[in-house]
């Protein structure tokens, strides 16, 4: 039931400490969930792996991010940091924006 899926997703976002979102493919559902998380003051870790040379990251995503991971290794480091410290590192995205 689509309503059940929607209700479960937004309830999970309201209850989470932070959201990890893979931005590759620009899935509309993922983008909605990120906007919802941002509106509810949740930290967001974006994962941007499948980028072409010279690609630019979206300005709205960059400004709503706590951190942008550019590899799965970097994501692992971010999650390890969270486990050790109890919070995510703050790392503003420094690349070019679209």
């Amino acid at each position: 039931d689509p309503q059940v899926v929607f209700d479960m997703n937004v309830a999970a976002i309201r209850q989470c400490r932070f959201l990890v979102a893979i931005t590759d493919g620009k899935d509309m559902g993922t983008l909605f969930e990120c906007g919802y998380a941002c509106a509810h003051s949740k930290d967001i870790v974006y994962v941007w792996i499948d980028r072409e040379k010279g690609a630019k990251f979206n300005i709205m995503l960059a400004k709503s991010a706590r951190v942008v991971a550019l590899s799965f290794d970097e994501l692992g480091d971010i999650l390890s940091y969270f486990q050790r410290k109890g919070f995510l590192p703050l790392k503003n995205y420094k690349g070019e924006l679209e």
Side-chain angles (χ1 to χ4, degrees):
D1 180 344
Q3 188 64 50
V4 172
V5 172
F6 177 85
D7 292 343
M8 287 174 46
N9 282 356
V10 296
I13 293 167
R14 284 194 306 268
Q15 295 172 11
C16 75
R17 298 262 316 265
F18 62 90
L19 183 75
V20 175
I22 297 175
T23 62
D24 298 353
K26 298 182 181 179
D27 175 73
M28 298 304 287
T30 300
L31 296 176
F32 170 85
E33 291 163 346
C34 293
Y36 189 85
C38 181
H40 286 84
S41 301
K42 301 296 181 177
D43 288 335
I44 304 171
V45 177
Y46 290 107
V47 182
W48 189 32
I49 305 296
D50 190 22
R51 61 192 179 282
E52 297 176 18
K53 185 176 180 173
K56 298 176 183 178
F57 197 62
N58 180 274
I59 190 169
M60 297 301 286
L61 299 184
K63 292 303 179 183
S64 65
R66 178 79 185 184
V67 61
V68 177
L70 300 178
S71 70
F72 287 116
D73 287 339
E74 188 176 358
L75 175 61
D77 293 342
I78 291 163
L79 297 177
S80 293
Y81 182 97
F82 177 79
Q83 285 183 313
R84 287 190 318 275
K85 304 283 187 171
F87 58 91
L88 293 169
L90 176 59
K91 183 178 173 188
N92 292 325
Y93 179 74
K94 301 290 186 195
E96 288 194 55
L97 300 173
E98 65 175 1

